[in-house]
Amino acid sequence: MQVWNEYLEQNKQRFLNELFDLLRIPSVSADSQYKGDVAKCAEAVKQSMLQSGCDHAEICPTEGHPIVYGEKMVDANAPTVLVYGHYDVQPADPLELWTSGPFDPVVKDGKIYARGACDDKGQMFMHIKALEVMAKTNSLSCNIKFMIEGEEEVGSSNLGIFLEKNKEKLKADIVLVSDTSMISMEHPSLETGLRGLAYMEVEVTGPNRDLHSGVYGGAVQNPINALCKMIASCHDENNHITIPGFYDKVETLSDEQRKALNAAPFDLQEYKTDLSVGDVWGEKGYTTLERTGIRPTLDVNGIWGGYTGEGAKTVLPSKAFAKISMRLVPHQTSDEIAAMFQQYFEKNAPASVKVKVTAHHGGEPVVTPTDSIAYKAASKALSTAFGKDPIPTRGGGSIPIVALFESILGLKTVLMGFGLDNDNIHSPNEKYDVANYYKGIETIPYFHKYFAEMSK
Ligand code: BES
Ligand code: MN
Ligand code: MN
């Protein structure tokens, strides 16, 4: 039993209350209406860093939302851990599907319900509270730098610039991130990869104005029909993506690697029941874990056009739109894939419509090493706190800045997430188990302890 466990035990309720204070601030980065709240949240994060033991904390303004930087330096000879997280959240809508207010956190059945509870306020704040626990019990063994941003959910474009400009300030030995999931409390795990992202928008234009669908219907191409056909053609009958060149750089894993990936506990029936789907779907020849972990995807995120109001209006619309994202795996790059996508849509457009493709923010895939000191320290930390060795997994989500930690700062990352796949992140009723929150605060000090010991 470590001294910090006792301190954590005595301060649990306050640690939860403090997280609730953060969750009450609607720091929605995508919606300019919340700009003031995002700034307020940054200030609250800064104050919590100082209150928890940082010697120094500051708000770093950017062209967009601010970055909060804080540090606690204990020993010039000790390794330095750069903790990354984000205090911004996704929009809460559709609001009517929440069973309690998205910014009015409550605990129900041992779970914290609020936007950001898991992604990422709950997980990010564990590191700030872990600092307090270590500082108050004289258990700090590493220098800690915090870099908590307010634009992760909108692509982190200003954070990349911040990294370029602050290489000296951000000098560290490892980046530690809790913004991913683990399998379960019974099966702790460590993600060893993140997918990249290419996010596109397609605009299809047919006639120069909306037309009466009786007068013109059947004689003029309907841009929504044309768009649907183009989208449908992106997958073949085996659910492979048909865009030429799309798989060219995708690495083939060895049978051994695939076997290891599929050895992780996974219950297909439970998965289907949880999602209320009759069957899963995906690329032929791959398991569900492979489909989310090591294979790329193409998905429509939104599609609109024509009349969507009440009742029926007979119209042959002038325009149709879709937002389409592709998740990428190692060696695919977002620029190359975006260009292939654009070519495919432009080439496949019939002469009866015009197609315009634009790229939104992208991000590159990453794999993190499993033979590094930092990975071993994280693995040992989880083993100690959970009483079980963690299972390495590949995560399906994206954190685009992680690739830039390596390319700009030369730093590797450890993805020590404590969320669960069914925490409803980005969805109504986002939750985070109270037990996971406390377990994270208990585990993090072990990481610092073992990382310092193993670095000697
Ligand atoms: N924390 C998530 C990413 C994540 C979730 C990774 C679960 C692994 C497991 C992050 O906040 C996120 O939502 N990222 C976005 C990308 C971003 C550019 C909007 C995503 O993955 O869609
Ligand atoms: Mn996140
Ligand atoms: Mn997110």
Side-chain angles (χ1 to χ4, degrees):
M1 185 79 162
Q2 304 288 334
V3 278
W4 64 74
N5 290 332
E6 205 176 312
Y7 184 89
L8 169 59
E9 209 49 53
Q10 288 159 358
N11 290 278
K12 276 187 159 171
Q13 190 55 48
R14 177 170 58 82
F15 285 3
L16 192 60
N17 296 344
E18 289 176 7
L19 173 59
F20 272 36
D21 288 341
L22 269 193
L23 293 172
R24 286 193 189 98
I25 308 172
S27 50
V28 180
S29 51
D31 188 341
S32 58
Q33 191 190 315
Y34 293 98
K35 197 168 190 283
D37 292 298
V38 177
K40 196 174 141 196
C41 195
E43 186 58 37
V45 170
K46 177 188 153 187
Q47 289 308 327
S48 71
M49 284 178 187
L50 291 170
Q51 178 243 324
S52 300
C54 280
D55 311 316
H56 165 76
E58 64 187 303
I59 306 261
C60 308
T62 74
E63 292 276 301
H65 300 301
I67 296 157
V68 190
Y69 176 83
E71 61 181 35
K72 173 80 184 168
M73 306 303 279
V74 288
D75 179 355
N77 295 316
T80 301
V81 178
L82 176 60
V83 174
Y84 164 78
H86 61 97
Y87 67 84
D88 66 319
V89 298
Q90 287 275 335
D93 48 292
L95 285 177
E96 65 278 12
L97 296 182
W98 286 78
T99 53
S100 55
F103 301 106
D104 186 11
V106 286
V107 173
K108 275 178 287 188
D109 305 326
K111 300 164 177 65
I112 307 160
Y113 284 87
R115 171 57 85 233
C118 172
D119 185 13
D120 178 43
K121 285 175 180 169
Q123 296 205 63
M124 168 276 286
F125 200 57
M126 297 180 319
H127 288 269
I128 296 180
K129 290 298 99 181
L131 165 67
E132 178 184 329
V133 164
M134 291 186 279
K136 286 284 161 63
T137 57
N138 285 315
S139 331
L140 277 160
S141 40
C142 294
N143 301 306
I144 303 180
K145 293 179 175 177
F146 289 105
M147 182 173 68
I148 310 298
E149 72 156 319
E151 296 192 305
E152 196 278 339
E153 300 291 9
V154 290
S156 303
S157 53
N158 291 300
L159 188 62
I161 300 167
F162 186 79
L163 299 186
E164 291 282 3
K165 285 189 183 155
N166 292 279
K167 289 184 186 166
E168 192 57 36
K169 183 189 195 114
L170 300 173
K171 256 203 164 133
D173 296 281
I174 191 72
V175 183
L176 179 62
V177 180
S178 295
D179 192 23
T180 52
S181 22
M182 58 176 198
I183 300 171
S184 68
M185 283 294 254
E186 292 70 45
H187 300 287
S189 58
L190 276 169
E191 285 194 7
T192 61
L194 292 163
R195 287 195 285 190
L197 186 67
Y199 200 112
M200 316 297 291
E201 187 158 336
V202 182
E203 179 186 325
V204 180
T205 307
N208 59 8
R209 58 190 187 275
D210 283 4
L211 303 174
H212 187 286
S213 66
V215 177
Y216 290 96
V220 175
Q221 172 69 290
N222 180 318
I224 302 181
N225 293 6
L227 175 59
C228 288
K229 200 166 173 180
M230 282 187 268
I231 290 170
S233 78
C234 287
H235 290 99
D236 69 12
E237 65 281 8
N238 292 321
N239 301 327
H240 290 299
I241 293 155
T242 53
I243 297 175
F246 189 84
Y247 292 102
D248 282 2
K249 294 195 173 165
V250 173
E251 67 179 344
T252 317
L253 267 68
S254 67
D255 289 348
E256 211 171 285
Q257 286 171 306
R258 290 180 66 178
K259 216 172 134 194
L261 193 92
N262 287 306
F266 176 76
D267 186 328
L268 189 62
Q269 195 48 52
E270 214 175 274
Y271 189 81
K272 290 194 279 191
T273 308
D274 179 46
L275 301 174
S276 309
V277 293
D279 203 355
V280 290
W281 176 94
E283 195 182 355
K284 194 174 171 189
Y286 294 92
T287 64
T288 297
L289 287 178
E290 290 172 334
R291 287 168 180 171
T292 58
I294 55 163
R295 299 300 292 171
T297 66
L298 183 150
D299 273 298
V300 180
N301 294 248
I303 182 163
W304 70 102
Y307 184 69
T308 56
E310 199 183 323
K313 177 191 179 195
T314 50
V315 62
L316 197 165
S318 166
K319 282 181 185 290
F321 304 85
K323 290 185 194 280
I324 299 174
S325 69
M326 290 162 285
R327 296 282 168 174
L328 314 179
V329 298
H331 310 308
Q332 288 183 302
T333 64
S334 58
D335 282 348
E336 278 176 358
I337 293 293
M340 286 173 195
F341 177 95
Q342 177 163 12
Q343 248 220 335
Y344 182 78
F345 268 74
E346 287 175 357
K347 254 197 179 156
N348 283 298
S352 50
V353 294
K354 288 190 268 310
V355 173
K356 194 172 121 198
V357 176
T358 47
H360 286 276
H361 56 67
E364 308 314 321
V366 286
V367 272
T368 62
T370 52
D371 56 358
S372 65
I373 293 174
Y375 184 85
K376 286 176 188 157
S379 182
K380 191 170 171 192
L382 286 163
S383 298
T384 312
F386 287 81
K388 251 188 197 171
D389 287 346
I391 301 159
T393 62
R394 286 285 196 95
S398 309
I399 310 177
I401 200 68
V402 173
L404 301 190
F405 291 149
E406 176 139 26
S407 62
I408 300 176
L409 301 177
L411 291 178
K412 300 278 185 196
T413 297
V414 168
L415 300 165
M416 194 166 76
F418 294 88
L420 302 175
D421 276 346
N422 67 2
D423 276 343
N424 299 327
I425 64 174
H426 296 202
S427 179
N429 305 310
E430 177 175 350
K431 60 130 178 115
Y432 191 38
D433 288 53
V434 178
N436 292 47
Y437 176 59
Y438 292 140
K439 204 64 177 171
I441 302 173
E442 180 190 338
T443 307
I444 292 162
Y446 284 113
F447 172 83
H448 290 267
K449 173 179 155 63
Y450 297 142
F451 187 54
E453 285 173 8
M454 293 175 173
S455 298
K456 272 184 190 144

